[in-house]
Amino acid sequence: MKNLLDQINTPSRVVVLAFLAAVLTGAGLLALPIATEGGAAASLTSALFTATSAVCVTGLAVHDTAAHWSVFGEVVLMVLMQIGGFGIMTLSSILAVIVSGKLGLRARLNTQAETKTLGPGDVRQVIVGVAKVTLVAEVLTATVLAVRFVVGYGEPVGRAVYYGVFHAVSTFTNAGFALWPDSMMRFARDPWICIPLMLAVVAGGLGFPVYAVLREHWRRPARWSLHTKITLGMTAVLLFGGALAITATEWNNPRTMGDLPPGLRVMAGFFHSVMTRSGGLNSVDTSQMDEKSWLISDVLMFIGAGSASTGGGIKVTTFALLGFVILAELRGEPDVTAGRRRIPEQLQRQALTIALLSVASVTVGTLVLMAVTPFNLDRVLFEVVSAFGTVGLSTGITTQMGTEGHLVLTILMFVGRLGPVTLGAALALHVQTRRFRYPEEGPLVG
């Protein structure tokens, strides 16, 4: 019995069960009649899909958020986004520190598993940083947005503040919910709206361990950790590279950014590049994009944001590490190195495992959705990668996928938020230690 309890209480299982509990609680609240504008209870599938999308900070929706959900429902969504962005274990750890000033070993281990911190001793520093960074980023974003809504659009102060807070939470947590049916398309010409939203998404997508390093050594890049250097470098490369590729592809497309002035086309390209990192909002009509732009977006969404961040995807460090492995193999080097540091073999195996399991998840999800929906490969693949990468962008077919399609996307969002490795570790019944090694022999490769 004790061994069974120990297995259930392993950090990976606790994280998975905590997220599942949050999803089910959120679905229960959204299924209440008070949660909808019309006062009619939402269907269980709709409530479950929306709650999962909020807790897993994805942003895919089967209903127009503002038109379907009441203020109560929208507040529930905002709370679920904040919980999902913080992380269940991180949030509970913050509350424990506030209430008692202490954090037990089990809580440290659970939070370590969720936040990807290096060890139990790093957890307190990370969770305090989470609270500070989140508070500052969301307050600044909400303030700028609220002022703009009042000054530029004549909104009443109360409504402007509500809009500002909702979208500050939505962007910093990389959730991607919006209170307008066209997301942010009506603001495509307004840099005072688009730029703060982009900055909030990037800030949330860097990962809290990066902020811990920058706080101590922001003037001395030479002392930055390898993780920080890779995260910042890859983020910059993907943001600018993605913006260049999207802008070039959509430059003359009159259905997206072709009718915008040149400067605003560039801003729209950056906005889309940023949002594919897991932000999920759109300032141009994603459904009218060129198929090449969808493929570029698929790649960016699959890679995602930084580790231990509010963003999704396989993470930029995983992608970079695979690149270092390939480079070392091509050069015939015995060790995989980056920044004059040797990468442990265990991390190489983890990166390969995450990448292959993620490819498998996307492939299976795409095949299943193509079997149960009438849509073609390009659109289905985009929806699947968006759900698995917890991005929330859509080609416009999410609402038309039916119950089976929505359940498949729900599973993909959940798996994508927790990660295939975390979920696999939680489901494993035993962790065995082998006391012997087999003789070495390798098959031909390539």
Side-chain angles (χ1 to χ4, degrees):
M1 183 67 178
K2 182 178 181 299
N3 290 336
L4 178 61
L5 291 176
D6 289 340
Q7 291 174 8
I8 294 175
N9 289 324
T10 57
S12 294
R13 286 183 176 82
V14 172
V15 172
V16 171
L17 292 176
F19 269 87
L20 182 60
V23 167
L24 295 178
T25 302
L29 292 174
L30 291 176
L32 297 174
I34 193 178
T36 63
E37 284 285 2
S43 69
L44 292 179
T45 303
S46 170
L48 179 63
F49 183 96
T50 306
T52 304
S53 186
V55 172
C56 297
V57 289
T58 305
L60 289 175
V62 294
H63 301 291
D64 177 0
T65 301
H68 182 79
W69 302 108
S70 65
V71 173
F72 174 83
E74 292 169 4
V75 171
V76 170
L77 284 178
M78 187 161 47
V79 172
L80 293 177
M81 288 188 290
Q82 192 72 81
I83 291 173
F86 260 125
I88 311 298
M89 296 298 102
T90 308
L91 182 61
S92 63
S93 298
I94 291 173
L95 294 177
V97 170
I98 293 174
V99 173
S100 65
K102 298 179 180 180
L103 193 63
L105 178 59
R106 176 167 291 179
R108 288 175 181 267
L109 292 173
N110 292 337
T111 309
Q112 175 194 353
E114 181 182 67
T115 59
K116 310 294 191 299
T117 45
L118 297 178
D122 304 315
V123 170
R124 187 184 178 99
Q125 180 184 15
V126 170
I127 63 174
V128 172
V130 168
K132 290 181 179 179
V133 171
T134 302
L135 180 63
V136 171
E138 291 184 354
V139 168
L140 287 176
T141 305
T143 301
V144 173
L145 293 177
V147 170
R148 183 56 180 167
F149 288 137
V150 171
V151 175
Y153 299 92
E155 296 285 357
V157 174
R159 183 181 298 173
V161 171
Y162 177 68
Y163 284 166
V165 172
F166 185 95
H167 293 96
V169 172
S170 181
T171 49
F172 183 75
T173 61
N174 279 227
F177 281 95
L179 294 178
W180 295 279
D182 61 354
S183 190
M184 293 294 154
M185 289 172 58
R186 64 188 62 195
F187 303 113
R189 297 174 180 268
D190 191 345
W192 290 100
I193 297 293
C194 291
I195 292 177
L197 294 176
M198 286 191 283
L199 292 176
V201 169
V202 173
L206 288 178
F208 300 109
V210 171
Y211 289 114
V213 172
L214 294 180
R215 184 185 62 179
E216 298 292 331
H217 308 295
W218 68 277
R219 290 185 175 181
R220 293 171 289 181
R223 301 191 65 178
W224 291 355
S225 65
L226 180 61
H227 171 78
T228 300
K229 293 177 181 178
I230 291 176
T231 300
L232 293 177
M234 286 301 301
T235 296
V237 169
L238 292 172
L239 287 181
F240 283 91
L244 178 62
I246 293 295
T247 304
T249 305
E250 297 295 324
W251 188 265
N252 293 318
N253 186 348
R255 297 169 297 176
T256 54
M257 62 179 67
D259 292 336
L260 296 173
L264 294 182
R265 295 186 205 183
V266 173
M267 185 176 74
F270 268 98
F271 192 90
H272 186 79
S273 179
V274 169
M275 295 304 161
T276 56
R277 309 302 313 291
S278 201
L281 300 174
N282 59 284
S283 64
V284 297
D285 191 347
T286 310
S287 67
Q288 298 300 316
M289 281 185 160
D290 188 277
E291 292 179 353
K292 294 187 290 295
S293 296
W294 287 347
L295 181 58
I296 295 168
S297 301
D298 289 340
V299 174
L300 294 174
M301 292 190 295
F302 185 76
I303 296 173
S307 297
S309 73
T310 60
I314 65 171
K315 311 301 184 185
V316 294
T317 44
T318 303
F319 181 74
L321 184 52
L322 293 174
F324 294 137
V325 171
I326 294 172
L327 186 61
E329 186 64 26
L330 292 176
R331 290 177 173 176
E333 296 179 354
D335 297 319
V336 176
T337 59
R340 297 185 178 181
R341 294 292 186 271
R342 180 167 52 85
I343 307 297
E345 291 184 3
Q346 180 182 1
L347 292 183
Q348 299 173 40
R349 293 196 301 270
Q350 287 178 0
L352 184 60
T353 301
I354 289 172
L356 291 180
L357 287 178
S358 298
V359 169
S361 299
V362 169
T363 302
V364 172
T366 302
L367 289 172
V368 173
L369 279 182
M370 289 186 69
V372 300
T373 66
F375 304 107
N376 60 26
L377 174 61
D378 291 332
R379 291 182 182 272
V380 170
L381 179 61
F382 190 99
E383 302 293 314
V384 168
V385 176
S386 180
F388 180 80
T390 68
V391 179
L393 292 172
S394 174
T395 60
I397 64 173
T398 301
T399 59
Q400 308 170 46
M401 284 192 163
T403 301
E404 296 87 353
H406 292 157
L407 290 176
V408 172
L409 291 179
T410 299
I411 295 171
L412 285 169
M413 289 188 288
F414 192 79
V415 174
R417 177 64 179 90
L418 291 171
V421 173
T422 300
L423 196 59
L427 296 175
L429 295 177
H430 300 284
V431 178
Q432 298 181 350
T433 300
R434 180 166 288 162
R435 300 182 182 278
F436 62 92
R437 301 181 71 182
Y438 290 109
E440 183 176 282
E441 181 180 0
L444 296 176
V445 177

